[in-house]
């Protein structure tokens, strides 16, 4: 445990010399996402620990193998939090995997994404260099913001060894409600509440119920509860279960799809069972429908469809990129990992 960066650097340099692909892994909770990669596992869990934490500056720096649950507990001692509410699939996650996947929980549309709170990273590149990008203060620089590009890269650009985050105070008050509404009624209500600035921090519709969370100061939350009405949400762990895919909706062998759509996208007639998260911007779908059909439906609403889970592997789990954006990805991959050491093909076959 502790700083294992030199050992990791040696592993990367040896793999580069022998042109052996590497698959960085923390807890493995997101290892099923993306295309299969035939490579050597590069375990990061021993490279762990909080390097620096300054509650007064709302900044924390942790090594990639640090468990997210431990980081959350450290922040909670100072009444602070990771605002993007990262999922803990399988019970936990590592800081490196959290950033590499770029996945966020129910608070994401209102608080921001993982990328929004990354201040800096340390990364071992495919050329065997251990580089630092960004820092512990918010900076605007010309060119690539490489520290934030690591968010959602799925380990294809390099090995994340350390990350600095901006954190926020935990809300003073939190209330969760449920209202019996159709999908279209729920969509219209959430859009209206957002326009009016009500303190929403989560909104999920499924099974004829809209469940919402209100967070902020005592006065604003109390006023919003009185205005919205509805009933209290009795399950105190509902948002954690949604975040971590522990709701009954996620059970079963049917393929799980994630549709990313504009916030105002209409309710779609989709082949399967839906659960609408992020106020409608993220829609989970359990369906046996073919890939082309689902992607066409998502694209028609201005969004994309990603295969998130299922018993059988999907050859192209991520929604295809436009040609210009794919070239940008290829250029960046060639610049940081010219020998294609890190997770070659995990995102797309030619990356």
């Amino acid at each position: 445990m502790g700083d294992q960066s030199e050992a990791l650097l040696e592993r990367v340099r040896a793999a580069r010399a022998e042109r052996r692909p590497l698959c960085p892994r923390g807890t493995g909770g997101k290892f099923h996402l993306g295309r299969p990669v035939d490579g050597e596992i590069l375990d990061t869990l021993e490279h762990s620990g909080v390097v620096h934490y300054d509650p007064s500056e709302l900044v924390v720096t942790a090594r990639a193998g640090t468990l997210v649950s431990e980081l959350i507990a450290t922040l909670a001692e100072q009444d602070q939090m990771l605002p993007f509410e990262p999922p803990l699939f399988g019970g936990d996650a590592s800081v490196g995997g959290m950033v590499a996947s770029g996945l966020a929980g129910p608070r994401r549309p209102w608080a921001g994404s993982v990328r929004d709170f990354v201040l800096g990273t340390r990364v071992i590149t495919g050329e065997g260099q251990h580089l630092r990008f960004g820092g512990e203060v918010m900076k605007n620089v010309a060119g690539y913001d490489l520290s934030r590009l690591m968010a959602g890269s799925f380990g294809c650009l390099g090995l994340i060894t350390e990350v600095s985050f901006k954190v926020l105070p935990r809300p003073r008050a939190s209330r969760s409600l449920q209202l019996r509404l159709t999908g279209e009624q729920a969509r219209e209500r959430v859009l209206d509440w957002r326009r009016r600035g009500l303190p929403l921090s989560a909104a999920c519709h499924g099974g004829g119920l809209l469940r919402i969370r209100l967070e902020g100061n005592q006065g604003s939350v109390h006023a919003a509860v009185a205005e919205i009405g509805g009933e209290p949400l009795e399950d105190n762990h509902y948002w954690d279960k949604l975040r971590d895919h522990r709701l009954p909706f996620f059970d079963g062998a049917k393929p799980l799809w994630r549709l990313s759509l504009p916030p105002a996208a209409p309710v779609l007639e989709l082949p399967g069972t839906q659960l609408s998260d992020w106020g409608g911007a993220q829609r989970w779908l359990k369906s046996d429908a073919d890939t082309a059909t689902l992607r066409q439906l998502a694209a028609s609403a201005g969004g994309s469809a990603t295969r998130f889970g299922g018993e059988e592997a999907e050859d192209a789990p991520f929604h295809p990129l436009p040609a210009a954006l794919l070239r940008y990805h290829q250029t960046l991959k060639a610049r940081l990992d010219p020998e294609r050491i890190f997770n070659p093909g995990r995102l797309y076959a030619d990356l």
Side-chain angles (χ1 to χ4, degrees), residues 311-328:
E311 291 186 340
E312 296 181 5
E314 166 69 34
D315 185 58
F318 293 100
H319 199 98
L321 294 174
L325 189 54
L326 179 60
R327 286 195 297 271
Y328 173 81

Side-chain angles (χ1 to χ4, degrees), residues 286-311:
K286 297 284 283 187
S287 176
D288 287 321
D290 64 274
T291 298
T293 296
L294 296 178
R295 289 198 166 136
Q296 183 178 6
L297 287 168
S300 69
S304 61
T306 298
R307 169 77 173 263
F308 212 82
E311 291 186 340

Side-chain angles (χ1 to χ4, degrees), residues 86-158:
L88 306 178
F89 298 141
D92 217 327
S94 67
V95 165
M98 173 180 73
V99 174
S101 69
L103 298 176
R107 195 182 284 114
R108 188 254 184 261
W110 293 273
S113 66
V114 178
R115 179 179 290 109
D116 295 328
F117 291 91
V118 171
L119 297 177
T121 57
R122 293 196 74 193
V123 176
I124 297 175
T125 70
E127 294 186 315
Q129 296 177 299
H130 198 186
L131 305 179
R132 185 184 299 274
F133 302 116
E136 293 188 347
V137 294
M138 201 70 81
K139 296 180 180 178
N140 293 317
V141 296
Y144 294 130
D145 188 348
L146 287 170
S147 60
R148 294 187 177 185
L149 282 174
M150 294 296 155
S153 65
F154 279 87
C156 292
L157 298 180

Side-chain angles (χ1 to χ4, degrees), residues 49-124:
V50 174
V51 178
H52 175 71
Y53 178 32
D54 188 342
S56 65
E57 294 295 328
L58 299 175
V59 171
V60 66
T61 300
R63 298 188 183 102
T66 307
L67 294 178
V68 174
S69 61
E70 294 179 1
L71 179 58
I72 289 172
T74 298
L75 298 176
E77 291 175 1
Q78 300 297 324
D79 213 22
Q80 295 179 353
M81 66 177 185
L82 295 169
F84 46 87
E85 217 168 357
L88 306 178
F89 298 141
D92 217 327
S94 67
V95 165
M98 173 180 73
V99 174
S101 69
L103 298 176
R107 195 182 284 114
R108 188 254 184 261
W110 293 273
S113 66
V114 178
R115 179 179 290 109
D116 295 328
F117 291 91
V118 171
L119 297 177
T121 57
R122 293 196 74 193
V123 176
I124 297 175

